Amino acid sequence: MSFTVTPGMRRLCASVLGMESIVLALVTPVAIVVNDVVPGVAVPVCVGLALACVVVAGMLKRPSAYIAGSVVQVLAIATGFLVPMMFFLGVVFAALWVTAIFVARRVEGVT
């Protein structure tokens, strides 16, 4: 089974990851101030995931980047253990990620 990367898929997925990186970076102060998470945990986790989103967005020409992006989605959901609202937001971004892949492939006629 081959996975063809299309230009529309790259654009949509990069948009999702870009927005997600902003949300993950903004979760850092919420985790520290509101949820009393130790900064030594919140900063590497949240900012690290935000940077991972940016790196993966830059690699979206490769099919393996879509696997990495899916892993980022799972890890974003897991940040709900630091900030419970991220369980919801992580699922929303994961749904957007999956939708971006399938809608772009369908619109561009890739089977």
Side-chain angles (χ1 to χ4, degrees):
M1 180 176 164
S2 68
F3 184 79
T4 305
V5 177
T6 64
M9 190 167 57
R10 280 198 324 259
R11 281 191 293 271
L12 282 174
C13 289
S15 298
V16 170
L17 289 172
M19 292 297 122
E20 189 170 14
S21 69
I22 293 168
V23 169
L24 286 167
L26 292 173
V27 163
T28 306
V30 173
I32 294 169
V33 175
V34 177
N35 292 74
D36 295 324
V37 177
V38 179
V41 172
V43 172
V45 169
C46 297
V47 175
L49 274 175
L51 289 174
C53 285
V54 172
V55 169
V56 171
M59 296 173 32
L60 287 175
K61 286 187 179 184
R62 301 182 186 124
S64 60
Y66 293 87
I67 295 169
S70 299
V71 170
V72 167
Q73 302 309 314
V74 171
L75 294 175
I77 294 169
T79 59
F81 291 109
L82 299 179
V83 177
M85 186 60 167
M86 281 304 294
F87 284 123
F88 172 73
L89 288 174
V91 169
V92 168
F93 276 110
L96 288 171
W97 174 256
V98 171
T99 302
I101 292 171
F102 287 110
V103 166
R105 291 175 64 82
R106 184 176 218 183
V107 166
E108 293 180 317
V110 177
T111 57

